[in-house]
Amino acid sequence: AMSKVIAEIKEGELQGEIGTVEEIDTSGQRLIIRILSNRLVTKRLSEVNLMHPRGVCVMMRLGKHTGRFGLIEGYNQEDGLYSIRFASGDIVRERGVAFQLIPRNLVAQLHYPK
């Protein structure tokens, strides 16, 4: 199983709180995060920084790469861009708003079609 993705909340009253991504809604843009106090909060992808997001599967939802799947290679704190590698080997740099996270159960279906 993939290790849990860690998210840091970057705005609002919970700014600076860190938690684990427990669930991703079907849009792939809303995350349910369990913060250290054990409370569950829902945040949009644009409201958090994914920490050590390497290997997280995403699908592009904006721009010319819409519909393509890729893996996050890294995140650059300075410009707020994620590096995403496609199966072709191409790497693009995009903001969190340009993609949605693919929940683990869907990733399994992508790799192992029935």
Side-chain angles (χ1 to χ4, degrees), residues 1-113:
M2 187 176 91
S3 58
K4 282 238 194 287
V5 178
I6 309 290
E8 176 191 20
I9 298 170
K10 62 182 184 186
E11 48 197 58
E13 70 197 72
L14 295 172
Q15 183 175 358
E17 286 264 10
I18 290 179
T20 54
V21 176
E22 297 293 321
E23 264 181 70
I24 304 163
D25 81 348
T26 49
S27 75
Q29 272 281 305
R30 280 182 122 53
L31 313 178
I32 297 171
I33 297 166
R34 184 179 300 279
I35 55 178
L36 293 177
S37 63
N38 221 17
R39 187 173 141 206
L40 290 173
V41 294
T42 303
K43 289 285 169 192
R44 298 187 67 78
L45 193 50
S46 59
E47 297 173 316
V48 303
N49 291 323
L50 297 179
M51 301 174 75
H52 315 298
R54 200 182 162 88
V56 175
C57 186
V58 301
M59 187 183 86
M60 306 309 291
R61 60 189 276 272
L62 293 175
K64 63 179 182 186
H65 296 295
T66 298
R68 288 181 81 182
F69 291 93
L71 292 178
I72 297 181
E73 288 273 297
Y75 175 69
N76 183 332
Q77 212 106 37
E78 263 105 81
D79 56 17
L81 296 177
Y82 292 88
S83 301
I84 296 164
R85 179 189 294 273
F86 297 125
S88 61
D90 297 351
I91 295 183
V92 295
R93 301 183 72 236
E94 295 283 1
R95 298 198 168 285
V97 71
F99 57 83
Q100 61 192 54
L101 301 184
I102 305 298
R104 256 173 289 191
N105 54 350
L106 282 181
V107 173
Q109 291 166 21
L110 290 174
H111 291 300
Y112 312 105

